[in-house]
Amino acid sequence: ESIEPSFFEITVAMAFEYFSKKQVDIAVIETGLGGRLDSTNIITPLLSIITNIGFDHMALLGNTLPKIAYEKAGIIKHKVPIVIGESIAETRNVFLEKSNQEQSPIFFAQELKRVSNINYTHHQLQVKIEDVATKKSDEFNLDLTGIYQTKNLCTVLESVNQLQQLGFEISNEQLKFGLQNTKQLTGLHGRWELLQSNPTIIADVGHNEDGIRQILQQLQITKYNHLHIIIGMVKDKDIDQVLSLLPKTATYYFTKAQIPRALEENALQDLAKQQQLKGNTYCNVNKAINNALQTASVNDLIIVCGSVFLVSIIEMLIVS
């Protein structure tokens, strides 16, 4: 009671206690927020991974990319290998300085692996990856079809390589099977996930500037007639920035997740009007989806995005 732990801190303690009792061989631990001061950071891992750095949780992590990278780099431990998935000039030195301090071998995945070809369908993403050093190529089929998964794939491949160096027996066949069946094996949903065809309904948990930019990039390679966007967001995100990125020609359906942090749909609509985004309000996401289905033609595209909490209560996703 004197500590007054957060919900996340309590569940981390519960999870670690559970893992200990079950004597797990391997635990994959994801930080909740940042890294340096995150409650998961009490562990000393076999391998650390930082995927990318984007603008999110700025009130706690800092309002520049180097400041956010500094917080993320807090998971780099003494002599523990670190894989950096995506780095830019602004953040690269932050990671190098921290890894030097900790004497940790550092590996920049995007400099070691290169995407040489992509073939995208709604159901599958085929990606050809070239090893920069050996020039050898291999092809992987992913059931997570977001184009941004190509960056994650390079990170996964380098991470598996580092685990193999540590003595883990992971075959190429096992690796490919895992990548092709990620949703079934892990229950991971809402990453450019196809829920229905004719009209197409896609669910994506993109909820900040980086996430929305990835969605917009995906739209450039997706065929559709008219775009319908169902969106709900939580109050602590940079809502104005997200709304400013969205296409003005789409039809919008403003809604909310059923949690206290959710921004009211009418308030979201008012903010959207300032960005010339037009649409009606709905008290929950499933009503918004039903209305979009009545409005959309067979060749239209319906996207549900803006919040993990919003996507998690989509009835079509829960049933599937």
Side-chain angles (χ1 to χ4, degrees), residues 159-161 163-164 167-175:
S159 298
V160 168
N161 178 45
L163 289 173
Q164 290 170 334
F168 284 82
E169 294 182 5
I170 305 169
S171 70
N172 204 38
E173 290 72 27
Q174 290 169 329
L175 175 61

Side-chain angles (χ1 to χ4, degrees), residues 58-300:
M58 284 93 79
L60 295 169
L61 302 182
N63 56 5
T64 68
L65 292 179
K67 286 180 180 178
I68 296 171
Y70 172 78
E71 296 297 330
K72 299 274 189 180
I75 68 167
I76 300 175
K77 297 294 200 310
H78 185 62
K79 293 188 176 179
V80 174
I82 170 75
V83 173
I84 307 296
E86 184 184 0
S87 69
I88 57 177
E90 291 177 84
T91 61
R92 182 183 171 86
N93 285 337
V94 176
F95 299 135
L96 286 171
E97 286 175 15
K98 180 63 175 176
S99 63
N100 286 336
Q101 288 173 15
E102 298 295 342
Q103 301 175 40
S104 303
I106 186 168
F107 305 91
F108 292 92
Q110 66 182 11
E111 297 172 13
L112 299 168
K113 313 288 182 188
R114 188 180 71 85
V115 178
S116 58
N117 191 51
I118 301 170
N119 184 25
Y120 161 71
T121 67
H122 279 324
H123 304 284
Q124 191 165 260
L125 190 68
Q126 292 179 319
V127 187
K128 195 171 186 180
I129 300 288
E130 180 185 85
D131 185 286
V132 173
T134 65
K135 303 301 180 186
K136 291 182 179 178
S137 295
D138 204 349
E139 195 165 85
F140 301 89
N141 296 316
L142 281 64
D143 65 345
L144 297 173
T145 57
I147 203 74
Y148 53 84
Q149 298 296 349
T150 57
K151 300 173 184 177
N152 290 332
L153 176 58
C154 291
T155 307
V156 166
L157 296 179
E158 185 52 37
S159 298
V160 168
N161 178 45
Q162 292 306 317
L163 289 173
Q164 290 170 334
Q165 305 301 317
L166 293 171
F168 284 82
E169 294 182 5
I170 305 169
S171 70
N172 204 38
E173 290 72 27
Q174 290 169 329
L175 175 61
K176 289 189 173 184
F177 179 82
L179 290 166
Q180 196 164 4
N181 298 278
T182 301
K183 285 193 289 188
Q184 181 184 340
L185 292 169
T186 67
L188 185 69
H189 288 285
R191 274 71 180 176
W192 196 262
E193 182 168 6
L194 177 68
L195 302 183
Q196 177 187 304
S197 299
N198 306 317
T200 299
I201 302 179
I202 298 287
D204 195 285
V205 296
H207 56 268
N208 55 23
E209 180 182 347
D210 268 14
I212 296 300
R213 286 190 186 279
Q214 297 300 333
I215 290 174
L216 295 175
Q217 184 181 356
Q218 191 87 22
L219 285 173
Q220 293 176 9
I221 59 169
T222 304
K223 293 180 180 179
Y224 59 89
N225 183 19
H226 182 68
L227 180 62
H228 304 255
I229 296 181
I230 299 169
I231 185 168
M233 300 189 70
V234 295
K235 299 171 187 173
D236 56 5
K237 300 300 176 187
D238 191 348
I239 296 166
D240 286 333
Q241 179 62 24
V242 166
L243 293 175
S244 72
L245 297 172
L246 294 172
K248 294 174 174 50
T249 53
T251 300
Y252 287 87
Y253 306 75
F254 303 105
T255 184
K256 66 175 184 292
Q258 308 306 305
I259 60 169
R261 283 173 60 200
L263 181 70
E264 291 295 322
E265 63 271 28
N266 291 324
L268 181 59
Q269 183 190 44
D270 289 341
L271 292 171
K273 282 179 182 175
Q274 297 173 23
Q275 303 292 342
Q276 291 83 52
L277 307 180
K278 299 175 182 178
N280 296 322
T281 60
Y282 302 86
C283 61
N284 71 64
V285 67
N286 294 301
K287 286 186 177 180
I289 291 172
N290 289 335
N291 193 275
L293 283 171
Q294 292 172 16
T295 307
S297 68
V298 69
N299 294 319
D300 285 358

Side-chain angles (χ1 to χ4, degrees), residues 40-51:
T40 59
N41 203 28
I42 193 172
I43 66 167
T44 301
L46 298 168
L47 176 69
S48 297
I49 303 169
I50 298 173
T51 52

